[in-house]
Amino acid sequence: MQANKDSDGGWRTFVWNSEKKEFLGRTGSSWLKIFLFYVIFYGCLAGIFIGTIQALLLTLSNYKPTYQDRVAPPGLSHTPRSEKSEIAFSLSDASSYKKYTDAMTKFLKKYDDDKQTDQMKFEDCGGKCQLMPERFLKCRDTNCAVCCSLAHVVTLLRMSLSLCFQPPMNNSVEEFLLPKLKPNLIPIFCKNKREEDADKIGEIKFFGLGEGFPLQYYPYYGKLLHPQYLQPLVAIQFNNLTLNEELRIECKVFGENIGYSEKDRYQGRFDVKFNIAS
Amino acid sequence: MGYGRSDSYRVATTQDKDDRSPKKKKGAKDMDDLKKEVPITEHKMSIEEVCRKYQTDIVQGLTNAKAAEYLIRDGPNALTPPPTTPEWVKFCRQLFGGFSVLLWTGAILCFLAYAIQAATEDDPAGDNLYLGIVLTAVVVITGCFSYFQEAKSSKIMESFKNMVPQQALVIREGEKVQINAEEVVGGDLVEVKGGDRIPADIRVVSAHGCKVDNSSLTGESEPQSRSPDCTHDNPLETRNIAFFSTNCVEGTARGIVICTGDNTVMGRIATLTSGLETGKTPIAKEIEHFIHIITGVAVFLGLTFFILAIVLGYSWLEAVIFLIGIIVANVPEGLLATVTVCLTLTAKRMAKKNCLVKNLEAVETLGSTSTICSDKTGTLTQNRMTVAHMWFDNQIHEADTTEDQSGASFDKSSITWISLARVAALCNRAQFKAGQDQLPILKRDVAGDASESALLKCIELSCGSVRAMRDRNKKVAEIPFNSTNKYQLSVHETEDLNDNRYLLVMKGAPERVLECCSTILVQGKEQPLDEELKEAFQNAYMELGGLGERVLGFCHVLLPEDQYPKGFAFDTDDVNFQTKDLCFVGLMSMIDPPRAAVPDAVGKCRSAGIKVIMVTGDHPITAKAIAKGVGIISEGNETVEDIAARLNIPVSQVNPRDAKACVCHGTDLKDLSQDQMDDILRNHTEIVFARTSPQQKLIIVEGCQRLGAIVAVTGDGVNDSPALKKADIGVAMGISGSDVSKQAADMILLDDNFASIVTGVEEGRLIFDNLKKSIAYTLTSNIPEITPFLLFIIVNIPLPLGTITILCIDLGTDMVPAISLAYEAAESDIMKRQPRNPFRDKLVNERLISIAYGQIGMIQALGGFFAYFVILAENGFLPTTLVGIRLNWDDRSCNDLEDTYGQQWTYEQRKIVEFTCHTAFFVSIVVVQWADVIICKTRRNSVFQQGMRNKILIFGLFEETALAAFLSYCPGMDVALRMYPLKPSWWFCAFPYSFLIFVYDEVRKLLIRRNPGGWVERETYY
């Protein structure tokens, strides 16, 4: 620093000292040596790191993660996704809901009929492999926008996958669910979150394999064992949502080992806001 | 980054110049003026001239009207108090000085980033805001801490006020009036008597046995007599001027006031002292350099990743936020606190060893010191005249001068010695003050002048009670010492009740006493004083004088009974008794002896490569003798004069380069140019400056600093205070030191022991080394803290380490281990190496950064990442899946994110895993920091050589581990800090890396030890 003080071009000589042939205070060979050192040093470090990662991979099973305590209980998610848990668009403005219909179309590609035709991959399940609600598929085939514009808002539900998660067989839980209970089905129930919205929701229709997720799809054994696995979906259609109002709707799946959390709003349930302008 | 650093520095300095040059020029001129010698000329004028100059009258004094007029013109006779810095300014200085700047910048950047986020995003992440708040809090808290620390250690007295005399006796219009000393004006005729403080600088017009104590002004411990005659050209040396705020010890004097208030000699010194601007402390400079490096690295990294982010397709705004984030991540939040605490701990340790440090930053300065300018009187010496040698029986005997009487003794059986002791005891007016019987003799207070006290103590020590002896030999008559006779005599009755003869005893200047003698006492027998004995006397006298000692001659005679029968009336005014043909007994010589611990301390300073220069107001001979006595001029080293004397050639023919030692007189110093001064300081290793004025002391200090030395000044008098203030570190004496000197100093030796300086040097060097280690330790964890963010940006993985966890490391787990390094013992004998070169040996250099950031830090980062990958992989996200996952991962609406196995994660679920990763990364850093603190214990030695004796460090290891476990497992932490409990196996992920760090560094240090000066040392020894 002292040198800098004395001569005006202090830093310039620091950058390139032609007298000693020094660049940034080091000669070429000095730079080369330190550079080589760091190359070798980091090379060794990288080797050690890769070695430890390999050791880590050796301890992992290909079929099942070591710990699953964080991923259970399963979450409940919906397509199209909400933004800040809100689905809002205007019926008169096609561009406002285009992202939702696009997301839906993209999502449903996996479920295309032609992909489900390979009998080798899809075990015969007695005609129940057709996962998609017919009406919904029709809607998609013609024009989803029409569905939307009819204020028939459709959301697809699916339960998050968790390896080897086996939902309970007898889910005799809450009384109001009893009429809906069907064997081999995990029940779903949607209702208004706020009391005052009770009469603004209108009719909710469920499509798919009943009002719930069929049990025969569980447990899921992971990508390796279940490469062609398709997740069961349930479509819900709101036929008569009140327009121009913010409506909060909560959907829940029920089961003995399906839990809910205050903090995680997608664990076993979700609630979403609809705000549909005319 | 070198560019940025040096450039900013240059700009800063030039701006500085531009801003202040006009003001400074004027200030500098004033200061130069003050540095010149005192412009008093009145001492050379006749009394009439002085009266004319001040329009006063030698009998009547000033008229009241004139006095009032002068008072209005010159202002009150008081010193302008030094401008005190208001408390809030001191506080702000703590708040915005040194490291704080770095943290403030960081905090401001954080707030800026948050503001940008808040303005552009709907739901900004609070991280930057929290970080900003925490940074601010850290600065404020540490600022308060060091403010109170300093306030506690600097309870400085309002010293100048105490020194102003309260009342003065002036003669105005022919009447004596007692007035407030502040109202004294130039031309006033004042009267002072023993015990008074001199109210202003006065030209003495008449005096009766007046003696003043000038020690606080000139450093001479001996009271000086005052008389109306001009005895010297130098106003400080002449006898006819008495100085403001010195004490009149005895006698009376009358004089005309020539200077008042700030114009007095004392006032000029005070103004000079308070006007001096002191530079930055070495540690402050080091910290500044450190900030340059850190800023350089931060800006370099920030800009690199800014460009990278732009290339990778991030938006400008995101890139700017990344830039700020990276710069802030480089700020070592905990370091300010660590450094403050380390310095405080050392200050406390030094206070225990009687070094009180007033300014925290000065703790280290002694360690960097390369030159010590020491005052003699009171610092190197005991400031107490003591009998050092005696000459009797034609032989020189050495007396014990040590403070605790542990030195050699001499043969006390000789009859001559008994006679000599009797003469010294009887012909002596000094006596012990009452009520000190329990105290050791040397510690007792004595009423009387310095040399008589010395004799009194010497006799009391070797022959028992002097009072009893005096009682047995009643005093009959006495002629006190005066400068014409140059001797003092008294007549006593003899001890033997049957012997009616009177005993006449005399002491005085040896040549005068010898003149009065015709015989000499040898082995108890009176022998005629022949030429041979006279020559022996001369030789002894010369030898003792050459030792810088004050020599007194003693003689006695038993007056014949026939001429002086019992009851003879001795007339001391018109001497009616024999003062010739006495019997010479011996010589006694006195010196202010060096303190016992000083030679050893000087030796230690020498071996520590510190040049010790003596700067004293005392006479050259005494100064040289003491310098030789304490080793400032070491044995065998000669001055130019010594060489000339040895070779018997004129001084001018001696090559000055041959002489290592040099004794420089103040009057010579006056005529020296700056270059000549530099020459002296550069070419002589052992220098003594004698008869120096306060201004010259200052010039000497400045000279040393000009040559690049870091200068410590020790002193106790007012005359030392400008030098004390100007020095890089001023060390004042706690007991004997004047308040002014204490105020000007940075450090106070509470026990006045020069040897404490050695402690200071040792502690200062140790803390410098240990601060290096502390900083190396703290900086290392910066890399594992910042790389997660970098990878987050570049390869789009979920963030491995969050802001909160970073703060937990910097302000939590890293603190105690970093501080514990301050307790580390020295690796080698730090007192055997040269002082550090402030231009080369930096606190933080590129090598430290290279080691901390480039090597150890990288290994640490890998340890953290390994833990991160382990946790994610064991939960289902293999490393390959992670790359590029970031956008979906951080998308709140994506609640079905698939992992490697096909499981789907809700946002909250995967965030919990992410925060578990943060916790694991944090714990891993703690684990690798174990190894880091152990390797930072030493810079060269192996840990196995150094041992693990630092208990605080071991405590630190346990403490950081316990804290990490607490943060991870304490219930509620998931809500409070978003830290989650770890599975036990995750604690061990970083263990291999911790071990790797240890082995790597041990090998590195082994290479350093094996190949001194080799490539490894040149590149990695910090």
Side-chain angles (χ1 to χ4, degrees):
Chain A
M1 298 319 290
Q2 188 64 21
N4 297 341
K5 237 182 188 175
D6 292 341
S7 56
D8 192 40
W11 65 269
R12 221 174 294 153
T13 26
F14 176 69
V15 172
W16 173 246
N17 184 344
S18 51
E19 222 172 276
K20 294 185 192 162
K21 295 212 184 320
E22 281 177 351
F23 174 67
L24 294 175
R26 284 174 181 277
T27 60
S29 69
S30 167
W31 273 114
L32 186 70
K33 272 187 198 166
I34 194 83
F35 179 73
L36 265 181
F37 166 75
Y38 271 109
V39 166
I40 295 168
F41 180 75
Y42 288 143
C44 291
L45 279 192
I48 291 170
F49 188 68
I50 290 166
T52 50
I53 290 286
Q54 286 302 329
L56 160 72
L57 294 181
L58 286 180
T59 66
L60 297 177
S61 149
N62 284 331
Y63 302 103
K64 196 171 171 287
T66 318
Y67 302 113
Q68 280 185 279
D69 49 348
R70 291 295 182 208
V71 75
L76 188 64
S77 65
H78 58 87
T79 307
R81 287 175 188 169
S82 57
E83 268 173 16
K84 297 190 181 109
S85 60
E86 187 179 47
I87 291 179
F89 57 85
S90 163
L91 286 176
S92 52
D93 181 5
S95 65
S96 69
Y97 52 80
K98 186 169 186 300
K99 56 180 172 186
Y100 297 118
T101 51
D102 284 354
M104 196 92 93
T105 317
K106 197 178 154 208
F107 178 75
L108 285 173
K109 277 244 164 72
K110 273 193 272 187
Y111 294 87
D112 278 353
D113 288 334
D114 47 339
K115 284 191 182 165
Q116 293 188 34
T117 49
D118 193 344
Q119 289 298 320
M120 293 301 288
K121 286 175 187 166
F122 292 89
E123 53 183 292
D124 188 8
C125 45
K128 282 181 180 176
C129 291
Q130 191 72 32
L131 287 170
M132 290 314 301
E134 251 170 78
R135 186 193 141 86
F136 190 78
L137 288 174
K138 202 169 73 192
C139 185
R140 174 177 60 107
D141 288 342
T142 51
N143 188 351
C144 183
V146 179
C147 303
C148 295
S149 62
L150 290 172
H152 294 169
V153 179
V154 176
T155 305
L156 294 173
L157 298 188
R158 58 174 181 165
M159 197 161 73
S160 293
L161 289 177
S162 175
L163 279 196
C164 308
F165 173 74
Q166 179 62 62
M169 295 302 286
N170 57 334
N171 27 30
S172 53
V173 260
E174 284 171 61
E175 254 182 56
F176 70 96
L177 283 170
L178 284 176
K180 287 186 173 184
L181 265 189
K182 284 179 191 166
N184 302 326
L185 209 62
I186 308 169
I188 303 178
F189 184 70
C190 288
K191 68 177 186 56
N192 49 310
K193 176 94 175 170
R194 290 181 299 209
E195 280 306 316
E196 62 264 33
D197 293 344
D199 49 349
K200 295 176 186 165
I201 304 290
E203 188 193 9
I204 304 177
K205 273 189 173 172
F206 288 81
F207 300 94
L209 306 163
E211 291 185 25
F213 300 109
L215 274 177
Q216 64 262 43
Y217 285 92
Y218 298 94
Y220 169 60
Y221 290 114
K223 269 186 184 167
L224 212 60
L225 293 176
H226 258 157
Q228 301 300 326
Y229 180 84
L230 272 180
Q231 232 175 322
L233 299 176
V234 170
I236 46 175
Q237 184 179 22
F238 302 94
N239 273 336
N240 198 11
L241 284 174
T242 312
L243 298 182
N244 299 324
E245 232 178 295
E246 197 184 273
L247 301 169
R248 289 185 67 179
I249 288 162
E250 185 181 56
C251 292
K252 262 183 170 177
V253 276
F254 295 92
E256 256 174 22
N257 53 3
I258 295 173
Y260 315 102
S261 151
E262 266 306 300
K263 279 173 73 184
D264 189 349
R265 290 194 301 201
Y266 284 89
Q267 186 177 309
R269 61 164 181 136
F270 67 80
D271 72 285
V272 63
K273 262 186 284 185
F274 284 100
N275 196 351
I276 300 160
S278 52
Chain B
M1 83 212 182
Y3 175 98
R5 187 168 29 138
S6 32
D7 194 38
S8 66
Y9 193 85
R10 202 166 53 91
V11 169
T13 45
T14 42
Q15 266 180 350
D16 213 40
K17 259 183 215 158
D18 291 342
D19 281 357
R20 278 195 268 164
S21 52
K23 251 192 290 169
K24 244 189 172 171
K25 247 177 215 162
K26 192 168 169 275
K29 209 178 155 202
D30 288 353
M31 289 313 274
D32 285 344
D33 193 41
L34 281 171
K35 272 183 215 166
K36 281 191 199 125
E37 295 308 314
V38 191
I40 293 174
T41 52
E42 280 84 353
H43 59 290
K44 285 188 254 181
M45 300 181 186
S46 72
I47 293 170
E48 289 72 32
E49 279 176 308
V50 176
C51 285
R52 221 173 299 134
K53 184 175 174 192
Y54 291 96
Q55 301 182 3
T56 181
D57 187 89
I58 189 68
V59 184
Q60 300 286 318
L62 284 175
T63 61
N64 281 329
K66 240 318 52 75
E69 184 195 322
Y70 284 161
L71 188 63
I72 291 164
R73 189 190 66 191
D74 299 335
N77 173 34
L79 296 176
T80 336
T84 48
T85 19
E87 290 301 306
W88 67 270
V89 171
K90 283 190 205 161
F91 185 64
C92 286
R93 222 174 266 163
Q94 291 295 346
L95 223 48
F96 298 105
F99 263 136
S100 318
V101 182
L102 197 65
L103 296 198
W104 279 119
T105 320
I108 291 165
L109 284 178
C110 281
F111 290 130
L112 191 70
Y114 182 73
I116 295 176
Q117 282 175 318
T120 54
E121 295 169 29
D122 297 333
D123 185 20
D127 281 8
N128 276 319
L129 183 65
Y130 303 145
L131 188 56
I133 292 170
V134 169
L135 285 177
T136 317
V138 169
V139 188
V140 172
I141 292 170
T142 1
C144 291
F145 178 75
S146 40
Y147 170 73
F148 285 117
Q149 195 62 37
E150 227 155 81
K152 217 164 62 182
S153 52
S154 60
K155 283 181 202 151
I156 319 159
M157 317 101 239
E158 284 283 296
S159 53
F160 283 112
K161 271 184 192 152
N162 300 342
M163 290 185 73
V164 175
Q166 297 303 308
Q167 295 284 312
L169 191 66
V170 299
I171 297 164
R172 284 185 184 167
E173 299 185 348
E175 276 175 47
K176 285 187 185 177
V177 275
Q178 190 88 19
I179 60 165
N180 203 322
E182 286 196 2
E183 291 162 20
V184 171
V185 294
D188 257 334
L189 198 57
V190 297
E191 215 166 72
V192 287
K193 57 180 191 303
D196 283 355
R197 270 200 172 153
I198 315 280
D201 284 359
I202 55 174
R203 160 75 158 87
V204 177
V205 291
S206 68
H208 297 282
C210 175
K211 277 190 174 178
V212 290
D213 176 11
N214 272 358
S215 63
S216 73
L217 198 58
T218 61
E220 293 161 303
S221 45
E222 193 71 352
Q224 315 277 306
S225 63
R226 295 287 99 155
S227 64
D229 324 305
C230 174
T231 54
H232 203 285
D233 277 352
N234 186 342
L236 282 174
E237 309 230 354
T238 184
R239 285 229 176 121
N240 57 356
I241 291 191
F243 296 102
F244 175 53
S245 95
T246 58
N247 277 321
C248 178
V249 186
E250 57 183 57
T252 56
R254 184 181 276 207
I256 296 171
V257 173
I258 51 175
C259 293
T260 57
D262 288 334
N263 295 323
T264 60
V265 174
M266 189 70 83
R268 288 169 63 91
I269 295 174
T271 322
L272 180 60
T273 308
S274 61
L276 280 175
E277 270 182 45
T278 47
K280 283 189 182 132
T281 56
I283 194 79
K285 285 181 197 153
E286 291 304 322
I287 286 173
E288 194 171 86
H289 178 246
F290 171 57
I291 291 177
H292 283 152
I293 291 190
I294 287 284
T295 318
V297 172
V299 171
F300 170 77
L301 270 181
L303 285 180
T304 311
F305 279 86
F306 177 76
I307 294 165
L308 210 65
I310 296 283
V311 171
L312 285 173
Y314 287 96
S315 73
W316 277 92
L317 222 51
E318 277 176 303
V320 167
I321 289 175
F322 288 157
L323 170 76
I324 293 176
I326 291 170
I327 291 176
V328 171
N330 264 296
V331 175
E333 290 91 356
L335 205 52
L336 173 64
T338 308
V339 170
T340 313
V341 172
C342 286
L343 290 177
T344 311
L345 287 174
T346 310
K348 283 211 167 132
R349 205 153 49 189
M350 285 165 87
K352 247 185 231 162
K353 294 178 185 171
N354 290 319
C355 287
L356 181 73
V357 182
K358 271 168 54 184
N359 171 6
L360 214 49
E361 283 180 354
V363 165
E364 187 275 332
T365 314
L366 262 185
S368 312
T369 297
S370 51
T371 305
I372 296 177
C373 293
S374 178
D375 179 39
K376 178 183 76 74
T377 316
T379 311
L380 297 175
T381 67
Q382 301 168 18
N383 196 11
R384 182 179 61 202
M385 277 301 197
T386 309
V387 175
H389 291 98
M390 284 160 251
W391 181 77
F392 57 82
D393 292 346
N394 207 355
Q395 226 179 341
I396 290 179
H397 299 266
E398 201 171 317
D400 184 6
T401 54
T402 53
E403 286 133 301
D404 52 359
Q405 288 299 300
S406 56
S409 192
F410 57 94
D411 175 27
K412 288 175 181 167
S413 58
S414 164
I415 300 170
T416 323
W417 159 243
I418 295 167
S419 304
L420 182 61
R422 189 174 60 191
V423 179
L426 296 180
C427 188
N428 190 333
R429 296 170 72 183
Q431 56 191 19
F432 290 111
K433 288 182 182 162
Q436 305 187 83
D437 293 340
Q438 292 80 19
L439 286 175
I441 292 165
L442 285 173
K443 294 236 169 89
R444 294 187 201 164
D445 271 343
V446 178
D449 95 351
S451 37
E452 294 206 325
S453 321
L455 293 172
L456 176 68
K457 284 181 180 172
C458 172
I459 305 302
E460 182 92 8
L461 272 176
S462 49
C463 302
S465 172
V466 171
R467 178 187 290 260
M469 199 191 294
R470 287 183 188 163
D471 287 345
R472 288 198 301 272
N473 300 277
K474 278 225 174 78
K475 195 187 282 178
V476 184
E478 180 177 45
I479 302 178
F481 182 87
N482 67 50
S483 45
T484 355
N485 285 346
K486 289 195 173 162
Y487 63 73
Q488 167 184 1
L489 71 75
S490 55
V491 181
H492 298 260
E493 290 169 4
T494 54
E495 274 177 45
D496 189 352
L497 292 173
N498 301 325
D499 191 348
N500 284 333
R501 289 180 295 177
Y502 285 104
L503 175 69
L504 184 147
V505 289
M506 179 197 271
K507 81 157 192 256
E511 64 279 6
R512 283 287 293 156
V513 172
L514 195 73
E515 277 171 26
C516 303
C517 296
S518 56
T519 57
I520 183 166
L521 204 64
V522 178
Q523 305 293 354
K525 289 189 195 98
E526 244 177 87
Q527 285 180 12
L529 194 59
D530 54 16
E531 282 308 312
E532 198 184 319
L533 282 168
K534 269 191 184 165
E535 203 180 317
F537 160 86
Q538 273 304 333
N539 288 340
Y541 183 28
M542 291 297 286
E543 190 177 339
L544 296 178
L547 291 174
E549 298 176 4
R550 177 178 311 141
V551 191
L552 288 177
F554 296 86
C555 64
H556 70 177
V557 77
L558 278 170
L559 297 173
E561 199 179 358
D562 49 347
Q563 284 179 42
Y564 306 98
K566 200 161 175 64
F568 180 85
F570 291 95
D571 186 352
T572 52
D573 290 330
D574 184 15
V575 179
N576 59 352
F577 50 89
Q578 163 191 9
T579 57
K580 293 282 169 200
D581 295 331
L582 310 179
C583 171
F584 192 84
V585 183
L587 296 170
M588 284 174 104
S589 66
M590 280 144 290
I591 197 162
D592 179 10
R595 292 167 188 274
V598 170
D600 194 36
V602 171
K604 276 189 183 155
C605 288
R606 273 279 154 69
S607 64
I610 301 171
K611 190 167 168 178
V612 185
I613 296 177
M614 183 194 276
V615 183
T616 176
D618 216 336
H619 296 275
I621 299 174
T622 326
K624 191 175 163 190
I626 295 293
K628 282 193 166 167
V630 299
I632 287 181
I633 295 182
S634 47
E635 238 171 278
N637 276 351
E638 293 175 307
T639 63
V640 176
E641 291 78 15
D642 289 336
I643 296 176
R646 177 164 54 85
L647 302 175
N648 217 356
I649 51 172
V651 173
S652 54
Q653 287 182 14
V654 181
N655 179 4
R657 293 286 158 88
D658 292 344
K660 276 192 181 163
C662 167
V663 178
C664 195
H665 198 279
T667 46
D668 302 337
L669 208 57
K670 230 186 282 178
D671 310 325
L672 290 180
S673 70
Q674 208 169 62
D675 291 339
Q676 285 170 311
M677 178 82 185
D678 289 356
D679 259 1
I680 290 180
L681 291 172
R682 202 176 297 140
N683 295 328
H684 299 283
T685 50
E686 304 177 340
I687 312 174
V688 172
F689 291 101
R691 296 308 277 170
T692 46
S693 65
Q695 285 84 352
Q696 285 170 338
K697 289 192 180 191
L698 180 60
I699 290 168
I700 292 165
V701 171
E702 285 177 336
C704 293
Q705 285 175 333
R706 200 167 45 238
L707 294 180
I710 292 178
V711 184
V713 169
T714 63
D716 59 348
V718 175
N719 57 334
D720 300 315
S721 49
L724 284 171
K725 182 87 179 282
K726 184 69 200 177
D728 293 286
I729 177 165
V731 184
M733 297 292 142
I735 303 168
S736 61
S738 60
D739 289 348
V740 187
S741 67
K742 284 186 210 165
Q743 195 170 44
D746 303 299
M747 186 186 271
I748 295 167
L749 300 182
L750 294 176
D751 57 354
D752 282 19
N753 190 348
F754 185 79
S756 307
I757 287 185
V758 179
T759 316
V761 172
E762 207 169 345
E763 291 290 349
R765 289 186 175 187
L766 187 60
I767 196 61
F768 190 80
D769 282 2
N770 286 347
L771 271 184
K772 267 188 184 177
K773 295 173 183 175
S774 240
I775 290 174
Y777 172 79
T778 315
L779 285 188
T780 308
S781 62
N782 244 7
I783 288 297
E785 283 164 13
I786 196 173
T787 39
F789 189 55
L790 301 183
L791 283 186
F792 168 77
I793 297 174
I794 302 172
V795 291
N796 284 319
I797 53 173
L799 188 64
L801 188 69
T803 314
I804 291 170
T805 27
I806 289 179
L807 290 176
C808 284
I809 296 165
D810 282 351
L811 301 174
T813 56
D814 266 5
M815 288 295 264
V816 178
I819 291 167
S820 76
L821 285 171
Y823 287 95
E824 199 54 40
E827 277 174 71
S828 54
D829 195 345
I830 40 178
M831 292 307 280
K832 289 253 161 68
R833 59 176 200 223
Q834 293 295 303
R836 74 185 179 91
N837 179 335
F839 302 121
R840 234 184 20 240
D841 307 336
K842 292 290 186 185
L843 182 65
V844 173
N845 49 31
E846 308 77 54
R847 297 183 294 282
L848 189 148
I849 297 288
S850 166
I851 275 276
Y853 278 8
Q855 295 161 39
I856 309 296
M858 286 298 174
I859 306 180
Q860 292 197 334
L862 290 186
F865 275 107
F866 181 59
Y868 164 83
F869 282 126
V870 165
I871 290 181
L872 282 173
E874 293 192 336
N875 275 295
F877 292 92
L878 292 191
T880 40
T881 319
L882 287 174
V883 176
I885 208 175
R886 181 178 75 92
L887 272 183
N888 279 328
W889 184 280
D890 287 339
D891 183 356
R892 239 169 231 285
S893 63
C894 174
N895 282 291
D896 50 1
L897 186 71
E898 242 176 62
D899 65 15
T900 319
Y901 294 90
Q903 305 186 98
Q904 290 165 331
W905 295 73
T906 68
Y907 178 80
E908 253 337 292
Q909 284 170 342
R910 59 179 189 264
K911 275 293 159 180
I912 289 178
V913 173
E914 182 188 323
F915 287 123
T916 312
C917 285
H918 291 186
T919 314
F921 207 113
F922 158 74
V923 163
S924 300
I925 292 180
V926 169
V927 169
V928 286
Q929 285 285 65
W930 290 344
D932 194 28
V933 75
I934 288 171
I935 62 163
C936 282
K937 274 166 68 76
T938 56
R939 294 187 297 143
R940 182 185 293 271
N941 287 352
S942 161
V943 174
F944 300 106
Q945 291 168 315
Q946 178 83 350
M948 289 291 286
R949 281 184 294 274
N950 186 345
K951 289 202 187 79
I952 311 285
L953 188 139
I954 293 169
F955 166 76
L957 286 175
F958 283 107
E959 186 264 359
E960 69 172 327
T961 316
L963 183 58
F966 172 81
L967 288 175
S968 169
Y969 294 116
C970 179
M973 277 300 165
D974 53 341
V975 184
L977 298 176
R978 299 238 64 176
M979 293 175 94
Y980 287 86
L982 297 183
K983 298 194 192 302
S985 63
W986 292 339
W987 280 76
F988 296 97
C989 297
F991 271 56
Y993 292 91
S994 200
F995 184 69
L996 177 66
I997 289 174
F998 181 75
V999 172
Y1000 172 75
D1001 208 65
E1002 277 297 313
V1003 170
R1004 179 182 72 87
K1005 284 186 276 204
L1006 181 71
L1007 289 176
I1008 289 179
R1009 292 196 301 275
R1010 282 283 160 84
N1011 307 306
W1015 185 83
V1016 180
E1017 173 159 0
R1018 270 181 287 126
E1019 291 296 347
T1020 68
Y1021 181 69
Y1022 56 88

